[in-house]
């Protein structure tokens, strides 16, 4: 039995200090009904709680830790940077360096603005889209999450899906009214919607690989339809690649699917575990952002030297030229993830537990469902009780997963073959527990 005595006491105390004991809702483990391990430290593929338990970590801080925790190159770069001062609020060479590195893998980004969170990136991209088009309405897809700004907190997946809060109190009705929602992966629905409202729409914003209703891949040709509709109606197409950026492929979903958005939002990996996100795109659009243009957006800690350093160190590892004849870093991640997803599928089948396993590069997800999952409704129809049983067994076995099947699971370069085998052995017990719970 997993001993979480210290974590339970720490959680009880934290609940008197922070709303629900946490600084971001999903960390509370409310949806799986157990105590969240309080984390002491992490190294490579492993994470350790204050009770002394060791886990193989597939949360990876919800995506950023793609090269593993406390990677020696990242740590050394951060230590050296800290010695030089932690913030200046003035331009540095680091910002241009990170900008250039991002642009080498995202050619659709000609000018970029660094911010501190994915929420800020999407919120600012929308302001820019509204500013340049002179239109107020935006289109988002049901189950896609783009951070917690007012306009985007409408029918927004994961945490909200898990907690069953469709909209948040505090979002003005007028603001929500400017957000039009459509089902994901339904080309006909968005075509109809744009035919009715297209001329009022500033932007279509989408997770091109959706990771906040569980991992849901775009159907063949779907993103091309969005591209075509945005162009036809003079709206901007915004790819929110805060999660799938650098993961669906090194160049994100836009490279994987060959679709060029007008604006791209990045986050998570771009900061290598420090708070960084960014939005960028075509020069004439981005040059409308202040001080180059009239669309205001600013940030005291934006482009922070420690944050830029962690992002640079991480992206350098991720984008390094492989040795001749060797696969590159992203390819290795994809192959490792494939080994795990194929293994999970086979084990679930053997246990007689129907699942849908999805993968995009180093992202993967698993739904306890016998039917195909392609949008929010089909995702939400998955068996949540089965997930709870599976999750708790995995945690007992030392596998640290996101506490909801509406979250994506992440592979890192630090995960070893041994880690994967241990994970599959645990998963076998997990599926057996699910099968037993159904008898
Ligand atoms: C995580 C996420 C965000 C929000 O980023 P924060 O840094 O948590 O504000 C936005 N969009 C997507 C697709 C995300 O996965």
């Amino acid at each position: 039995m997993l001993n979480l005595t210290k974590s339970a006491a720490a959680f009880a105390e934290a609940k008197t200090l922070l709303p629900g004991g946490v600084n971001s809702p999903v960390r509370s483990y409310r949806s799986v009904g157990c105590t969240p391990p309080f984390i002491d430290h992490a190294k490579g593929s492993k994470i350790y709680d204050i009770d002394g338990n060791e886990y193989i970590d597939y949360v990876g801080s919800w995506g950023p830790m793609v090269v593993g925790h406390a990677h020696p190159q990242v740590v050394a770069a951060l230590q050296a940077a800290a010695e030089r001062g932690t913030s200046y609020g003035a331009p540095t060479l680091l910002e241009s360096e990170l900008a250039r590195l991002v642009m080498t893998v995202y050619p659709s980004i000609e000018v970029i603005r660094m911010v501190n969170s994915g929420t800020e990136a999407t919120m600012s991209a929308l302001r820019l889209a509204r500013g340049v088009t002179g239109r107020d309405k935006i289109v988002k897809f049901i189950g896609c999450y783009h951070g917690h700004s007012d306009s985007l907190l409408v029918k927004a997946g994961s945490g909200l899906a898990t907690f069953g809060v469709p909209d948040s109190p505090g979002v003005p009705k007028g603001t929500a009214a400017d957000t039009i929602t459509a089902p994901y992966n339904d080309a006909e629905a968005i075509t109809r919607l744009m035919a009715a409202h297209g001329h009022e729409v500033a932007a279509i914003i989408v997770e091109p690989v959706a990771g906040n209703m569980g991992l849901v891949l775009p159907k063949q040709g779907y993103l091309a339809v969005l591209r075509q509709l945005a162009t036809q109606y003079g709206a901007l197409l915004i790819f929110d690649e805060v999660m799938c950026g650098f993961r669906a492929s090194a160049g994100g979903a836009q490279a994987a699917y060959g679709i060029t958005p007008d604006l791209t939002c990045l986050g998570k990996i771009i900061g290598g575990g420090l708070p960084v996100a960014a939005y960028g795109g075509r020069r004439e659009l981005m040059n409308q952002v202040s001080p180059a243009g009239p669309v205001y957006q600013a940030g005291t800690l934006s482009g922070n030297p420690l944050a830029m350093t962690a992002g640079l160190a991480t992206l350098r590892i991720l984008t390094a030229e492989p040795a001749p004849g060797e696969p590159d870093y992203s390819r290795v991640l994809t192959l490792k993830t494939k080994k795990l997803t194929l293994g999970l599928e086979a084990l679930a089948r053997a246990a007689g537990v129907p699942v849908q396993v999805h993968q995009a590069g180093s992202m993967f997800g698993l739904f306890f469902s016998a039917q195909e999952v392609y949008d929010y409704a089909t995702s939400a129809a998955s068996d949540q009780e089965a997930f709870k049983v599976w999750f708790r067994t995995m945690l007992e076995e030392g596998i640290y997963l996101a506490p909801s099947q509406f979250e994506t699971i992440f592979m890192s370069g630090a995960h070893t073959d041994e880690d994967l085998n241990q994970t599959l052995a645990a998963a076998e017990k997990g599926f057996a527990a699910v099968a037993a719970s159904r008898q």
Side-chain angles (χ1 to χ4, degrees):
M1 206 43 202
L2 194 60
N3 183 351
L4 289 171
T5 312
K6 287 185 184 166
S7 290
F11 191 39
E13 191 195 6
K15 280 181 177 168
T16 70
L17 303 168
L18 315 171
V22 291
N23 280 311
S24 199
V26 75
R27 299 177 195 171
S28 70
Y29 272 39
R30 194 171 283 202
S31 57
V32 285
C34 47
T35 298
F38 267 51
I39 302 308
D40 181 72
H41 68 287
K43 176 76 188 162
S45 62
K46 305 284 172 43
I47 192 160
Y48 301 84
D49 68 23
I50 60 172
D51 291 281
N53 300 302
E54 174 186 293
Y55 310 90
I56 301 171
D57 178 20
Y58 291 100
V59 177
S61 187
W62 306 91
M65 311 318 296
V66 68
V67 300
H69 292 284
H71 189 289
Q73 277 164 254
V74 179
V75 172
L78 277 173
Q79 281 169 338
E83 295 282 345
R84 304 167 67 86
T86 53
S87 186
Y88 321 122
T92 62
L93 295 172
L94 291 166
E95 295 162 272
S96 300
E97 243 180 295
L98 183 56
R100 251 197 309 273
L101 183 48
V102 170
M103 288 167 195
T104 59
V105 278
Y106 286 84
S108 74
I109 301 180
E110 295 173 347
V111 175
I112 194 168
R113 169 59 62 81
M114 302 293 173
V115 293
N116 306 293
S117 71
T119 296
E120 244 189 287
T122 55
M123 179 184 81
S124 308
L126 281 190
R127 182 179 303 138
L128 175 57
R130 285 167 160 158
V132 299
T133 60
R135 303 171 179 180
D136 287 343
K137 298 220 183 300
I138 57 155
V139 173
K140 80 174 281 292
F141 297 93
I142 300 167
C144 282
Y145 178 67
H146 305 291
H148 64 88
S149 73
D150 284 350
S151 295
L152 291 165
L153 212 50
V154 180
K155 301 204 171 160
S158 65
L160 296 161
T162 302
F163 295 119
V165 183
D167 289 311
S168 171
V171 174
K173 282 195 196 75
T175 304
D178 280 333
T179 302
I180 312 174
T181 61
Y184 192 74
N185 261 335
D186 186 339
E188 215 171 283
I190 185 67
T191 304
R192 252 185 285 120
L193 190 160
M194 290 299 279
H197 300 284
H199 296 290
E200 305 165 81
V201 171
I204 300 175
I205 184 167
V206 66
E207 286 183 75
V209 167
N212 286 290
M213 47 178 150
L215 180 63
V216 174
L217 307 183
K219 286 184 179 167
Q220 180 79 27
Y222 180 64
L223 298 174
V225 169
L226 303 187
R227 176 65 279 176
Q228 186 271 322
L229 288 170
T231 305
Q232 181 182 343
Y233 291 97
L236 299 189
L237 179 63
I238 304 176
F239 272 10
D240 178 356
E241 298 219 35
V242 168
M243 184 189 291
C244 63
F246 308 101
R247 279 207 181 264
S249 78
Q254 51 197 270
Y257 291 91
I259 302 292
T260 306
D262 298 298
L263 295 173
T264 299
C265 300
L266 296 169
K268 300 195 166 107
I269 283 180
I270 198 182
L274 271 79
V276 186
Y279 64 107
R282 283 204 315 281
R283 185 172 306 277
E284 82 268 16
L285 292 175
M286 288 304 295
N287 278 348
Q288 297 303 309
V289 176
S290 56
V295 178
Y296 193 71
Q297 188 269 310
T300 301
L301 291 173
S302 295
N304 171 274
L306 286 188
M308 296 295 102
T309 297
L312 267 171
T314 299
L315 292 188
R316 281 189 182 128
I317 297 166
L318 190 63
T319 59
E321 274 292 319
E326 295 293 317
D328 65 29
Y329 202 92
S330 290
R331 180 83 193 131
V332 174
L333 283 173
T334 299
L335 293 173
K336 272 198 241 186
T337 310
K338 189 92 240 164
K339 172 178 166 152
L340 205 53
T341 53
L342 289 175
L344 289 171
E345 246 164 5
L347 291 169
R349 199 178 315 116
V353 176
V355 294
Q356 305 295 320
V357 182
H358 293 174
Q359 176 182 357
S362 61
M363 311 160 74
F364 63 109
L366 173 147
F367 299 95
F368 287 91
S369 174
Q371 61 164 330
E372 203 189 325
V373 175
Y374 52 85
D375 64 2
Y376 181 73
T378 49
S379 162
S382 329
D383 184 342
Q384 298 200 45
E385 285 308 310
F387 178 81
K388 269 189 217 179
V389 171
W390 193 70
F391 173 84
R392 288 194 202 151
T393 311
M394 295 297 270
L395 194 66
E396 287 279 340
E397 295 293 319
I399 311 298
Y400 189 81
L401 299 170
S404 162
Q405 70 190 316
F406 305 121
E407 302 291 349
T408 292
I409 317 176
F410 302 103
M411 184 65 71
S412 89
H415 286 79
T416 62
D417 228 30
E418 156 105 43
D419 289 335
L420 304 188
N421 292 336
Q422 209 175 312
T423 305
L424 290 171
E428 188 170 14
K429 291 186 189 171
F431 292 130
V434 171
S437 76
R438 284 175 169 173
Q439 263 151 29

